[in-house]
Amino acid sequence: MTAVLEVGPAPTVQVVRWSRAASATVAGFVVLVAVAAAVPMLFVPLVGNRLTALLALVVLAVTWNALAGYAGLVSVGQQGFFGLGAYAVLALSDLGLNAYLSVPLAGVVCALAALPSSLLLFRLRAGQFAIGTWVLAEVFRLLVSRVPQLGAGTGRSLTSTTDVDPALRQAFTYWTALAMTVLVLVGAFLLLRSRVGIRLQAVRDDENAARSLGVGVTGEKRLVFVLGSGGAGVAGAITLTNSLTAQPDNMFGVQWAALMIFMVVIGGIGTFEGPIIGAVLLFAVQQLFDGFGNWYLVGLGVLAVVATLAAPRGVWGELAHRRGWTAAPLFHDVRWPALPLAPGAAARHDAADTTVREEGRR
Amino acid sequence: MTASLAGPDVAPALSVRGVRHAYGAVPVLQGVDLDVRSGEVVGVVGPNGAGKTTLVDVLTGAVTLQEGRVVLGGDDVSRVRGAVRTRHGLARTHQVPRPFTGMTVFENVLVGATAGGVDRATGYDRAARALVATRMTALANRPAGALGLLDRKRLELARALALQPRVLLLDEVAGGLTDAETDDLVDLVGTLSGQGLAVVWIEHLVHVLVRAATRLVCLAEGTVIADGPPDEVIASPRVQQAYYGGPGS
């Protein structure tokens, strides 16, 4: 069947998928993780406590962006999996499992719960899907509220780590959170850089056109929903091991959905870098207004208004759009060595930036 | 599949048999039969409401087939989902271009080029060939959302060709093109069919099809009322009547 397209000589194409900026990003990431890992040994435990909260936000933002920004699944019910992850840690600890090992397992539990949920939810489209996910989150909350062993409606504490020295406990929690964040970031990056990533973006932009090009659509969406919900569960598990108490109305609260949307939209939906920036910005506002009570919500509002007016694509979205910035190498930069390049077809990355080349056959 | 000049003994690349389709109580297709062989360019014309769009939907699997059969290269795909029909060699373009606006032109083409789990190098090669064939190489790194109408139409074609299909379904691609652009398109389709591609080209611009098609099929009121060389079909009294309402002159 290959005869059909042999119009003229076989083209030589170079597809560049790396740049100097990408090398800098990877180097910066490694250094940042190393420094972050040393934080509990250098600073007061309180910093570790707060940074753990930041890491949970990063995981939430990155996984929600994978759903909404890359697969077109605008869920406002990821707090269902967030809460489920938190309660999974409680349940697993009751079964005698180490609380820190329970964190990744809570992610697995949530991914497994997302699989049957997707069978129901994927019958819904767009706005209906969004509402459906929210309903699902409420169902999870009501179910957990019925279980006396988990503290029913009033909530419960995680007691399996109370005999550990508080400073050490915070350090362990923080290191667990850091490891999970690195796992989520690297996993999301590899997924989006793979051919699945291309298919996901196609689904996001136009489902029917994607289908006509052989993309199954539902399978791709389900994969992201399952992995993304696992990620939300990990964030919930981190939050529980950090705060040590779980209460259904808080853990399954829709405010988590609002924060996810806030971080992703402010940072730049559909970009890899945006949600991380969004998480840092949200964290900054939370710290800035720490101790001023509900003024924190005013701060969020001001940030949202300023961002939507000045950077409707989100902070990183604007930088990528106006300046062609890409820190994470998810691009395909095409060169045609044997063909003359038309003006305006200039690549987004300078030729000198190239460190890795992947050449097409011939 | 090098064009084995469609003898009657060769199985058609696309075969449609007794297809009927109704929306509620309204019948739209009332028993359509159509064979398209490798290397043929079959133009499908017909007045508004003849069932052209529904025929496209039936072929691509966008609607569930109610009655009849659709066979691609010997495989009965009547019950096969649209996305899976591409594996049986079917590709299409859309009447209104539907680019993936958040991706570059190359990435758009890569979606089809990597379908079916080919390795990375093969995917790049297929994408490159499709871009060369549609003369879009210079636009490879452009965001698809920034393309004008003509380039969006070319991108539709490039994405479809990247699937390396046996049957290509063109849905109203000539609308809005200048004469020179139409000439280009007719040339390209001629080149591809010369290499064995079977083309089904649905178009309301009859004069384009008269030049491009090796065979013309006229649909009216859900059935094929004429099928043959373009000149004969255009001159047929039944076709004249279907278009102009009166007896052909």
Side-chain angles (χ1 to χ4, degrees):
Chain A
M1 247 11 284
T2 51
V4 169
L5 267 179
E6 281 173 9
V7 182
T12 310
V13 62
Q14 285 182 344
V15 181
V16 180
R17 304 206 65 194
W18 203 262
S19 63
R20 192 175 286 169
S23 301
T25 307
V26 170
F29 181 70
V30 171
V31 171
L32 192 66
V33 169
V35 170
V39 161
M41 300 173 221
L42 302 174
F43 298 104
V44 287
L46 192 62
V47 177
N49 200 339
R50 290 186 181 194
L51 287 182
T52 303
L54 170 63
L55 292 171
L57 289 179
V58 170
V59 170
L60 269 186
V62 168
T63 52
W64 194 79
N65 181 54
L67 263 68
Y70 280 93
L73 292 168
V74 181
S75 166
V76 290
Q78 291 310 101
Q79 69 274 18
F81 296 101
F82 180 89
L84 204 60
Y87 275 93
V89 171
L90 280 181
L92 290 168
S93 303
D94 288 352
L95 295 174
L97 207 74
N98 178 294
Y100 302 107
L101 287 177
S102 306
V103 172
L105 279 178
V108 175
V109 167
C110 290
L112 290 176
L115 194 60
S117 306
S118 74
L119 297 178
L120 290 171
L121 291 171
F122 283 13
R123 292 169 172 270
L124 308 173
R125 289 272 164 274
Q128 293 177 326
F129 173 81
I131 299 299
T133 54
W134 192 351
V135 170
L136 185 77
E138 287 300 296
V139 169
F140 285 170
R141 181 179 68 83
L142 290 170
L143 286 177
V144 167
S145 308
R146 293 285 174 281
V147 182
Q149 290 87 345
L150 292 175
T154 50
R156 232 198 75 180
S157 295
L158 179 69
T159 49
S160 67
T161 56
T162 42
D163 52 346
V164 185
D165 170 67
L168 206 54
R169 189 187 64 222
Q170 279 189 344
F172 280 142
T173 306
Y174 172 78
W175 280 323
T176 307
L178 185 63
M180 294 316 295
T181 307
V182 170
L183 186 73
V184 166
L185 285 175
V186 172
F189 171 73
L190 291 178
L191 181 73
L192 294 175
R193 196 176 146 91
S194 73
R195 273 167 289 173
V196 178
I198 285 285
R199 294 212 289 273
L200 286 173
Q201 292 179 66
V203 170
R204 172 198 61 192
D205 286 351
D206 191 326
E207 264 187 42
N208 286 324
R211 220 172 256 125
S212 77
L213 293 170
V215 179
V217 177
T218 312
E220 277 78 8
K221 285 184 166 187
R222 184 161 289 133
L223 175 71
V224 174
F225 187 71
V226 166
L227 292 178
S229 300
V234 166
I238 292 170
T239 303
L240 176 80
T241 48
N242 196 26
S243 68
L244 298 177
T245 56
Q247 203 265 328
D249 289 346
N250 178 37
M251 283 298 182
F252 292 96
V254 76
Q255 79 273 10
W256 292 108
L259 292 182
M260 288 178 231
I261 297 169
F262 179 90
M263 291 185 285
V264 172
V265 170
I266 295 291
I269 189 165
T271 65
F272 184 79
E273 301 87 346
I276 305 168
I277 292 175
V280 173
L281 283 175
L282 173 64
F283 181 72
V285 171
Q286 286 178 341
Q287 298 310 309
L288 209 62
F289 287 85
D290 192 28
F292 294 97
N294 284 339
W295 281 99
Y296 141 73
L297 292 172
V298 175
L300 283 191
V302 170
L303 182 58
V305 168
V306 170
T308 41
L309 289 178
R313 289 181 182 84
V315 172
W316 190 267
E318 288 296 334
L319 289 172
H321 183 73
R322 292 188 194 167
R323 308 192 173 223
W325 282 18
T326 47
L330 294 170
F331 53 80
H332 293 81
D333 186 3
V334 182
R335 316 274 173 80
W336 307 89
L339 298 168
L341 267 181
R348 284 176 293 182
H349 306 276
D350 197 82
D353 275 354
T354 307
T355 53
V356 168
R357 280 162 191 268
E358 291 174 357
E359 304 213 359
R361 280 187 317 189
R362 282 174 281 245
Chain B
M1 194 56 79
T2 41
S4 46
L5 291 172
D9 51 325
V10 180
L14 169 70
S15 180
V16 176
R17 282 286 170 276
V19 165
R20 289 171 184 274
H21 198 87
Y23 293 107
V26 183
V28 180
L29 297 179
Q30 310 191 55
V32 173
D33 295 316
L34 179 67
D35 278 338
V36 184
R37 293 174 191 287
S38 173
E40 267 191 315
V41 180
V42 174
V44 177
V45 296
N48 287 335
K52 300 192 295 289
T53 303
T54 306
L55 181 61
V56 171
D57 289 346
V58 164
L59 292 178
T60 57
V63 297
T64 307
L65 192 60
Q66 293 169 345
E67 199 182 325
R69 278 197 306 149
V70 177
V71 180
L72 279 169
D75 307 330
D76 190 334
V77 296
S78 308
R79 297 280 166 259
V80 172
R81 282 188 300 128
V84 183
R85 288 190 192 185
T86 58
R87 285 183 219 157
H88 296 273
L90 181 71
R92 72 166 298 180
T93 64
H94 296 90
Q95 183 174 358
V96 177
R98 311 179 75 146
F100 304 125
T101 50
M103 301 156 76
T104 67
V105 166
F106 183 78
E107 286 162 350
N108 264 262
V109 177
L110 208 53
V111 174
T114 55
V118 300
D119 66 76
R120 193 182 287 260
T122 307
Y124 289 164
D125 189 54
R126 286 185 178 181
R129 283 169 188 276
L131 290 177
V132 169
T134 51
R135 298 192 203 155
M136 294 198 81
T137 50
L139 300 172
N141 290 324
R142 284 270 179 89
L147 297 179
L149 178 65
L150 174 63
D151 287 330
R152 283 176 184 230
K153 290 197 169 220
R154 285 160 61 189
L155 179 57
E156 280 284 325
L157 195 57
R159 285 196 316 202
L161 291 178
L163 283 166
Q164 304 217 320
R166 277 171 285 186
V167 179
L168 176 63
L169 188 58
L170 301 175
D171 188 5
E172 307 270 4
V173 283
L177 301 191
T178 66
D179 287 348
E181 288 159 5
T182 308
D183 287 347
D184 267 4
L185 184 63
V186 171
D187 283 350
L188 174 60
V189 170
T191 308
L192 295 168
S193 67
Q195 291 168 359
L197 185 67
V199 180
V200 182
W201 189 341
I202 289 160
E203 187 69 67
H204 67 280
L205 300 173
V206 179
H207 66 275
V208 176
L209 286 189
V210 170
R211 286 170 49 211
T214 55
R215 229 174 85 208
L216 209 55
V217 168
C218 184
L219 276 185
E221 292 174 1
T223 55
V224 174
I225 60 162
D227 183 346
D231 295 341
E232 287 177 25
V233 168
I234 295 298
S236 140
R238 285 193 71 187
V239 173
Q240 293 282 322
Q241 191 182 14
Y243 266 87
Y244 302 113
S249 54

